[in-house]
Coordinates of all heavy atoms in Angstrom, one line a residue:
I3 N 37.8 32.0 34.4 CA 38.7 32.4 35.5 C 39.2 33.8 35.4 O 39.2 34.5 36.4 CB 39.9 31.4 35.5 CG1 39.5 30.0 35.8 CG2 41.0 31.9 36.5 CD1 39.0 29.8 37.2
L4 N 39.4 34.3 34.2 CA 39.9 35.7 34.0 C 38.8 36.7 34.5 O 39.0 37.6 35.2 CB 40.2 36.0 32.6 CG 41.4 35.2 32.0 CD1 41.6 35.6 30.5 CD2 42.7 35.6 32.8
L5 N 37.5 36.4 34.1 CA 36.4 37.2 34.5 C 36.2 37.1 36.0 O 35.9 38.1 36.7 CB 35.1 36.8 33.8 CG 35.1 37.1 32.3 CD1 33.8 36.6 31.7 CD2 35.2 38.6 32.0
D6 N 36.3 35.9 36.6 CA 36.0 35.6 38.0 C 37.1 36.3 38.9 O 36.8 36.6 40.0 CB 36.0 34.1 38.2 CG 35.1 33.8 39.4 OD1 34.1 34.5 39.7 OD2 35.4 32.8 40.1
A7 N 38.3 36.6 38.3 CA 39.3 37.3 39.1 C 38.9 38.7 39.4 O 39.5 39.3 40.3 CB 40.6 37.2 38.4
H8 N 38.0 39.3 38.6 CA 37.6 40.7 38.8 C 36.8 40.8 40.0 O 35.9 40.0 40.2 CB 36.9 41.2 37.6 CG 36.8 42.7 37.5 ND1 35.9 43.4 38.4 CD2 37.4 43.6 36.8 CE1 36.0 44.7 38.1 NE2 36.9 44.8 37.2
P9 N 37.0 41.8 40.9 CA 36.3 41.9 42.2 C 34.8 42.1 42.0 O 34.0 42.0 43.0 CB 37.0 43.0 42.9 CG 37.6 43.8 41.8 CD 38.1 42.8 40.8
W10 N 34.4 42.6 40.8 CA 32.9 42.9 40.7 C 32.2 41.7 40.0 O 31.0 41.8 39.7 CB 32.7 44.1 39.9 CG 33.2 45.4 40.6 CD1 33.6 45.5 41.9 CD2 33.5 46.6 40.0 NE1 34.0 46.8 42.1 CE2 34.0 47.5 41.0 CE3 33.3 47.2 38.7 CZ2 34.3 48.8 40.8 CZ3 33.6 48.5 38.5 CH2 34.1 49.3 39.5
I11 N 32.9 40.7 39.6 CA 32.3 39.6 38.8 C 32.5 38.3 39.5 O 33.5 37.9 40.0 CB 33.0 39.5 37.4 CG1 32.9 40.9 36.7 CG2 32.3 38.4 36.6 CD1 33.6 40.9 35.3
K158 N 47.4 41.0 29.5 CA 46.0 41.6 29.4 C 45.8 42.7 30.4 O 46.0 42.4 31.6 CB 45.0 40.4 29.6 CG 45.0 39.4 28.5 CD 44.7 40.0 27.2 CE 44.7 39.1 26.1 NZ 44.5 39.7 24.8
E159 N 45.4 43.8 29.9 CA 45.1 44.9 30.8 C 43.9 44.7 31.6 O 42.8 44.5 31.1 CB 45.0 46.2 30.0 CG 46.2 46.6 29.2 CD 46.9 47.7 29.9 OE1 46.3 48.4 30.6 OE2 48.1 47.8 29.6
L160 N 44.0 44.8 33.0 CA 42.8 44.8 33.8 C 42.3 46.2 33.7 O 43.1 47.2 33.7 CB 43.1 44.4 35.2 CG 43.2 42.9 35.5 CD1 43.5 42.7 37.0 CD2 41.9 42.2 35.1
R161 N 41.0 46.4 33.8 CA 40.4 47.7 33.8 C 40.8 48.4 35.1 O 40.5 47.9 36.1 CB 38.9 47.6 33.6 CG 38.5 47.1 32.2 CD 37.7 45.9 32.3 NE 37.6 45.2 31.1 CZ 36.6 44.5 30.8 NH1 35.6 44.2 31.7 NH2 36.5 43.9 29.6
K162 N 41.3 49.6 35.0 CA 41.8 50.3 36.1 C 41.3 51.7 36.3 O 40.9 52.3 35.3 CB 43.3 50.2 36.1 CG 43.9 50.7 34.8 CD 45.4 50.4 34.7 CE 46.0 50.8 33.4 NZ 45.6 49.9 32.3
E184 N 52.4 46.7 34.6 CA 51.3 46.3 35.4 C 51.0 44.8 35.2 O 50.7 44.3 34.1 CB 50.0 47.1 35.1 CG 48.8 46.8 36.0 CD 47.7 47.7 35.8 OE1 48.0 48.9 35.4 OE2 46.6 47.4 36.0
P185 N 51.2 44.0 36.3 CA 51.0 42.5 36.1 C 49.5 42.1 36.4 O 48.9 42.6 37.2 CB 51.9 42.0 37.2 CG 51.8 43.0 38.3 CD 51.6 44.3 37.7
I186 N 49.1 41.1 35.6 CA 47.7 40.6 35.8 C 47.8 39.3 36.6 O 46.9 38.9 37.3 CB 47.0 40.4 34.5 CG1 45.5 40.0 34.7 CG2 47.7 39.3 33.6 CD1 44.7 39.9 33.5
Y187 N 48.9 38.6 36.5 CA 49.0 37.3 37.1 C 49.0 37.2 38.6 O 48.6 36.2 39.2 CB 50.3 36.6 36.5 CG 50.1 36.3 35.0 CD1 50.8 37.2 34.1 CD2 49.3 35.4 34.5 CE1 50.6 37.0 32.7 CE2 49.1 35.2 33.2 CZ 49.8 36.0 32.3 OH 49.6 35.8 30.9
S188 N 49.4 38.3 39.2 CA 49.3 38.4 40.7 C 47.9 38.2 41.1 O 47.5 37.6 42.1 CB 49.9 39.7 41.2 OG 51.3 39.8 40.9
M189 N 47.0 38.9 40.3 CA 45.6 38.8 40.6 C 45.0 37.4 40.5 O 44.2 36.9 41.2 CB 44.8 39.7 39.7 CG 45.0 41.2 40.0 SD 44.6 41.7 41.7 CE 42.9 41.3 41.7
H190 N 45.5 36.7 39.4 CA 45.1 35.3 39.2 C 45.4 34.4 40.4 O 44.6 33.6 40.9 CB 45.7 34.7 37.9 CG 45.2 35.4 36.7 ND1 44.0 36.1 36.6 CD2 45.7 35.5 35.4 CE1 43.8 36.6 35.4 NE2 44.8 36.2 34.7
V191 N 46.7 34.5 40.9 CA 47.2 33.7 42.0 C 46.4 34.0 43.3 O 46.1 33.1 44.0 CB 48.7 33.8 42.1 CG1 49.2 33.1 43.4 CG2 49.4 33.3 40.9
L192 N 46.2 35.3 43.5 CA 45.4 35.7 44.7 C 44.0 35.2 44.6 O 43.4 34.8 45.6 CB 45.4 37.2 44.8 CG 46.7 37.8 45.3 CD1 46.8 39.3 45.0 CD2 47.0 37.5 46.7
A193 N 43.4 35.1 43.4 CA 42.1 34.6 43.2 C 42.0 33.1 43.5 O 41.1 32.6 44.1 CB 41.6 34.9 41.8
L194 N 43.1 32.4 43.1 CA 43.2 31.0 43.4 C 43.1 30.8 44.9 O 42.4 29.9 45.4 CB 44.4 30.4 42.9 CG 44.5 30.2 41.4 CD1 45.9 29.7 41.0 CD2 43.5 29.2 40.9
R195 N 43.8 31.6 45.7 CA 43.9 31.5 47.1 C 42.5 31.9 47.7 O 42.0 31.2 48.6 CB 45.0 32.4 47.7 CG 45.0 32.6 49.2 CD 45.2 31.3 49.9 NE 45.4 31.4 51.3 CZ 44.4 31.6 52.2 NH1 43.1 31.7 51.7 NH2 44.6 31.8 53.5
E196 N 41.9 32.9 47.2 CA 40.6 33.4 47.7 C 39.5 32.4 47.4 O 38.5 32.3 48.1 CB 40.3 34.7 47.1 CG 39.1 35.4 47.7 CD 38.8 36.8 47.1 OE1 38.7 36.8 45.8 OE2 38.7 37.7 47.8
D197 N 39.7 31.6 46.3 CA 38.6 30.7 45.9 C 38.5 29.4 46.8 O 37.6 28.6 46.6 CB 38.8 30.3 44.4 CG 38.3 31.3 43.5 OD1 37.6 32.2 43.9 OD2 38.6 31.2 42.3
T220 N 51.9 31.4 47.2 CA 51.4 32.7 46.7 C 52.4 33.8 46.9 O 52.6 34.6 46.0 CB 50.1 33.0 47.4 OG1 49.1 32.0 47.3 CG2 49.5 34.3 46.9
F223 N 55.3 33.5 44.5 CA 54.9 33.8 43.1 C 55.0 35.3 42.9 O 55.5 35.9 42.0 CB 53.6 33.3 42.8 CG 53.1 33.5 41.4 CD1 53.3 32.6 40.4 CD2 52.4 34.7 41.0 CE1 52.9 32.8 39.1 CE2 52.0 35.0 39.7 CZ 52.3 34.0 38.8
I224 N 54.3 36.0 43.8 CA 54.2 37.5 43.7 C 55.6 38.1 43.8 O 55.9 39.1 43.1 CB 53.3 38.1 44.8 CG1 51.8 37.5 44.5 CG2 53.3 39.6 44.8 CD1 50.8 37.9 45.6
L227 N 57.7 37.5 40.7 CA 57.2 38.3 39.6 C 57.7 39.7 39.7 O 58.2 40.3 38.7 CB 55.6 38.2 39.6 CG 54.9 38.5 38.3 CD1 55.2 37.5 37.3 CD2 53.4 38.6 38.5
M231 N 60.6 41.0 36.9 CA 60.1 41.9 35.8 C 60.9 43.1 35.6 O 60.8 43.8 34.6 CB 58.6 42.3 36.2 CG 57.6 41.3 36.0 SD 55.9 41.9 36.5 CE 55.6 43.1 35.2
Q240 N 54.9 46.9 42.7 CA 54.0 46.4 41.7 C 52.8 47.4 41.7 O 52.3 47.7 42.8 CB 53.5 45.0 42.0 CG 54.4 43.9 41.6 CD 53.7 42.6 41.5 OE1 52.6 42.4 41.9 NE2 54.4 41.6 40.9
K241 N 52.5 47.9 40.6 CA 51.3 48.8 40.4 C 50.2 48.0 39.8 O 50.2 47.6 38.7 CB 51.7 50.0 39.5 CG 50.5 50.9 39.2 CD 50.0 50.7 37.8 CE 48.8 51.6 37.6 NZ 48.3 51.4 36.2
Q242 N 49.1 47.8 40.6 CA 47.9 47.1 40.2 C 46.8 47.5 41.1 O 46.7 47.0 42.3 CB 48.2 45.6 40.2 CG 46.9 44.7 40.0 CD 46.2 45.1 38.8 OE1 45.2 45.8 38.9 NE2 46.6 44.6 37.6
P243 N 45.9 48.4 40.7 CA 44.9 48.9 41.6 C 44.1 47.9 42.3 O 43.7 48.0 43.5 CB 44.0 49.7 40.6 CG 44.9 50.1 39.5 CD 45.9 49.0 39.3
L244 N 43.8 46.8 41.6 CA 42.9 45.8 42.2 C 43.6 44.9 43.3 O 42.9 44.2 44.0 CB 42.3 44.9 41.1 CG 41.4 45.6 40.1 CD1 40.9 44.6 39.0 CD2 40.2 46.3 40.8
L245 N 44.9 45.1 43.4 CA 45.5 44.4 44.5 C 45.0 44.9 45.8 O 45.1 44.1 46.8 CB 47.1 44.6 44.4 CG 47.8 43.8 43.4 CD1 49.3 44.2 43.3 CD2 47.7 42.3 43.6
F246 N 44.5 46.1 45.9 CA 44.0 46.6 47.1 C 42.8 45.8 47.7 O 42.5 45.9 48.8 CB 43.6 48.1 47.0 CG 44.6 49.0 47.7 CD1 45.9 49.2 47.1 CD2 44.3 49.6 48.9 CE1 46.8 50.0 47.8 CE2 45.2 50.4 49.5 CZ 46.5 50.6 49.0
R247 N 42.2 45.1 46.8 CA 41.1 44.2 47.3 C 41.6 43.1 48.2 O 40.9 42.7 49.1 CB 40.5 43.5 46.1 CG 39.3 42.6 46.4 CD 38.8 41.9 45.2 NE 37.7 41.0 45.5 CZ 37.6 39.8 45.0 NH1 38.5 39.3 44.2 NH2 36.6 39.0 45.4
H248 N 42.9 42.8 48.1 CA 43.5 41.8 49.0 C 44.5 42.4 49.9 O 45.5 41.8 50.4 CB 44.3 40.8 48.1 CG 43.5 40.2 47.0 ND1 42.7 39.1 47.2 CD2 43.3 40.5 45.7 CE1 42.0 38.8 46.1 NE2 42.4 39.6 45.2
L249 N 44.3 43.7 50.3 CA 45.3 44.4 51.1 C 45.6 43.7 52.4 O 46.8 43.6 52.8 CB 44.7 45.8 51.4 CG 45.6 46.7 52.2 CD1 47.0 47.0 51.5 CD2 45.0 48.1 52.5
Y251 N 45.4 40.6 53.3 CA 46.1 39.3 53.1 C 47.5 39.6 52.7 O 48.5 39.0 53.2 CB 45.3 38.5 52.0 CG 46.0 37.2 51.7 CD1 46.2 36.2 52.6 CD2 46.5 37.0 50.4 CE1 46.8 35.0 52.3 CE2 47.1 35.8 50.0 CZ 47.3 34.8 51.0 OH 47.9 33.6 50.7
L252 N 47.7 40.6 51.8 CA 49.0 40.9 51.3 C 49.9 41.5 52.4 O 51.1 41.2 52.5 CB 49.0 41.9 50.1 CG 48.4 41.4 48.8 CD1 48.1 42.5 47.8 CD2 49.4 40.4 48.2
M323 N 38.5 50.5 50.2 CA 40.0 50.6 50.1 C 40.5 51.6 51.2 O 41.6 51.4 51.8 CB 40.4 51.1 48.7 CG 40.2 50.1 47.6 SD 40.6 50.8 46.0 CE 40.5 49.3 45.0

Side-chain angles (χ1 to χ4, degrees):
I3 293 295
L4 293 178
L5 291 176
D6 208 31
H8 195 287
W10 295 347
I11 304 176
K158 292 301 177 186
E159 298 258 335
L160 281 181
R161 293 121 190 204
K162 49 191 176 287
E184 185 169 334
I186 188 174
Y187 294 102
S188 296
M189 292 300 302
H190 293 337
V191 172
L192 287 166
L194 289 174
R195 171 62 174 78
E196 188 179 52
D197 280 346
T220 302
F223 182 93
I224 295 173
L227 203 64
M231 285 179 67
Q240 281 198 351
K241 175 254 175 180
Q242 170 53 263
L244 296 179
L245 284 173
F246 252 74
R247 180 183 178 222
H248 306 276
L249 180 60
Y251 179 62
L252 289 169
M323 289 180 175

